[in-house]
Amino acid sequence: MSELREPSGAGGSGAATGHGVLVTTPSFGQHASEPWEVFAAAGVPVRTARAAHPLTERQLIEEAEGARALVVGLDPVTAAVLAAAPGLEVVAKHGVGTDNIDLAAAAAHGVRVVNAPGTNTTAVADMTMALLLAAVRRIVPAHASVTGGRWDRFFGPELAGRTLGIVGFGRIGQAVARRARGFDMDLIAYDPHLPAAVFAEQGVRSVTFEELIAAADVLTLHLPVPSGGPLLSRAQLAAMKPGSCVINTARGGLIDEEALAELLHSGHIAAAGIDVFATEPPAGNPLLTAPNAVLTPHCAAFTQQANAAMGTTVAADVVRVLRGEDPVNAVV
C-alpha cells in the first residue's frame, strides 16, 4: 500500500508530481486493503493529505495542486478549490452525502462527482438501532454503575408497540425500518421525494412531517441538511411527545443542539443517541453535559465491511473517469 503514495517531500511544497489521486479522508482504506489495491492495479499514483481531516478550503487548495482526482470526506470542495485545480477531473465522496461539494461549480468546471451509495447502509442502520437501545435502556450509565462498584438499576421503555418516526426514507431509512419491525415497533416515515409505492412496499405508513413529530415516540434522522437551518428546531423538538427519544446518525446540522440539550435536562426529551454534530469534534457542545444522551464520534459507517465497500466503489469510479470512461455512481 505504501508504494502508491508519493514521498512526503515530493513536489517541494507538497504538490503532486504524479498528477494522480489526493486522498484527504483518513478513513479511506483504513480497515481494508482493497481500495488501495484498486489504484495499484490501475497504476494510478496516490498520495494522502498532510493536513488533518477535514481540510479547510485554503488547505485543500494548496494540497490539491496538480491532482487529477480527489477522494474526500467532509472537506469543503468549493468553487474556489475547483478553480485552483485546473487539472482536476473527478471528485469522489468517500460516503454518500455530497453537501460539502459545490456540484454546480463542479459541473461548470467539467469535473465529475461520484459517491458510494448503499455501501454504508447496513452499518448506519445497525448503529441507529444500537444508539436507540443504548439510549432508552440507559446502557452507558448502567455500565458505569457496575464498573464503578455500584449496582444501580435503570428502568427504560420497551420498544414493542412504540412508534418509530423515520425522517428520510431512502436506503438507510428503509434498512432501519426493517430492523425496527423485528422489535415490533409501529413504523411511520416522512420523505416527500418518494412515491407512495415505496412506503407501501416496505409496509410503512407515509405521513407529513408535522404528523410524524406529533406521533413519534422515537424520531430518527436519515437525510441531508436542508437549507435554512436545522430540520428539528426548538419549536419542533418541543412539539414532540413528552418522554420521546431522538436519534441522529445523518448530519449534525439537522438538530438545534442547544434546544435538544435543554429539553434533555428538562426531561421533555427522555433520551438521545447522537453520532454527528454541527461542529466536530464537539468541544463545548451543550449535549456533552446533557443527561441521557449517548454520544459517539461520527462512526456509524465505521465497519470493516463498509470501509472496504465505500473505498473500492469510489476508487473504481475514479479509475474509470481517469481512463475516459463514464462512472457508475455519477452525481455530476
Side-chain angles (χ1 to χ4, degrees), residues 60-61 64-68 70 79-89 109 111:
L60 190 53
I61 287 173
E65 183 182 350
R68 295 177 63 196
L70 301 179
V81 170
L82 293 161
L88 195 62
E89 299 177 41
H109 285 277
V111 176

Side-chain angles (χ1 to χ4, degrees), residues 2-329:
S2 60
E3 70 273 16
L4 298 178
R5 308 182 191 184
E6 295 187 0
S8 59
S13 64
T17 58
H19 296 277
V21 180
L22 170 66
V23 175
T24 65
T25 172
S27 62
F28 178 84
Q30 187 175 23
H31 295 286
S33 62
E34 293 93 337
W36 301 103
E37 291 166 0
V38 172
F39 289 134
V44 175
V46 183
R47 60 192 176 95
T48 54
R50 294 169 299 162
H53 177 266
L55 279 66
T56 65
E57 180 185 66
R58 173 51 54 188
Q59 289 171 328
L60 190 53
I61 287 173
E62 293 174 354
E63 299 221 26
E65 183 182 350
R68 295 177 63 196
L70 301 179
V71 177
V72 301
L74 300 175
D75 320 274
V77 185
T78 63
V81 170
L82 293 161
L88 195 62
E89 299 177 41
V90 57
V91 175
K93 174 61 181 280
H94 189 241
V96 181
T98 55
D99 42 308
N100 60 307
I101 302 170
D102 189 329
L103 301 180
H109 285 277
V111 176
R112 303 303 301 266
V113 177
V114 301
N115 64 352
T119 55
N120 64 0
T121 296
T122 296
V124 177
D126 285 354
M127 186 66 153
T128 298
M129 296 305 298
L131 286 173
L132 170 54
L133 288 165
V136 300
R137 294 304 303 270
R138 304 188 67 187
I139 299 298
V140 175
H143 170 81
S145 172
V146 176
T147 58
R150 304 184 306 279
W151 197 251
D152 305 316
R153 303 296 180 90
F154 295 89
F155 280 80
E158 296 179 3
L159 296 184
R162 300 280 174 152
T163 298
L164 175 65
I166 304 170
V167 184
F169 202 56
R171 292 183 180 90
I172 295 174
Q174 293 174 35
V176 170
R178 291 192 294 272
R179 286 154 176 75
R181 189 174 290 110
F183 286 87
D184 295 326
M185 299 189 78
D186 295 327
L187 305 175
I188 59 176
Y190 167 74
D191 195 322
H193 304 293
L194 294 179
V198 173
F199 298 92
E201 290 168 2
Q202 297 294 322
V204 174
R205 184 162 58 92
S206 175
V207 298
T208 67
F209 186 57
E210 290 72 22
E211 290 171 333
L212 187 144
I213 290 289
D217 296 298
V218 177
L219 187 153
T220 181
L221 299 167
H222 302 286
L223 73 168
V225 178
S227 59
L231 182 73
L232 286 182
S233 66
R234 180 180 298 273
Q236 289 158 334
L237 287 166
M240 293 182 65
K241 286 182 177 180
S244 54
C245 176
V246 174
I247 306 294
N248 188 11
T249 55
R251 294 287 187 274
L254 286 167
I255 300 176
D256 182 331
E257 294 170 338
E258 182 176 348
L260 177 58
E262 290 178 7
L263 291 168
L264 284 164
H265 279 289
S266 73
H268 180 80
I269 301 295
I274 307 295
D275 184 55
V276 288
F277 303 85
T279 299
E280 297 180 348
N285 192 304
L287 288 172
L288 296 176
T289 55
N292 301 330
V294 180
L295 312 178
T296 51
H298 202 150
C299 61
F302 279 40
T303 65
Q304 290 89 344
Q305 295 90 336
N307 191 247
M310 278 193 290
T312 54
T313 296
V314 297
D317 261 352
V318 165
V319 169
R320 289 185 186 99
V321 173
L322 297 184
R323 286 175 173 169
E325 304 169 3
D326 287 331
V328 171
N329 298 298

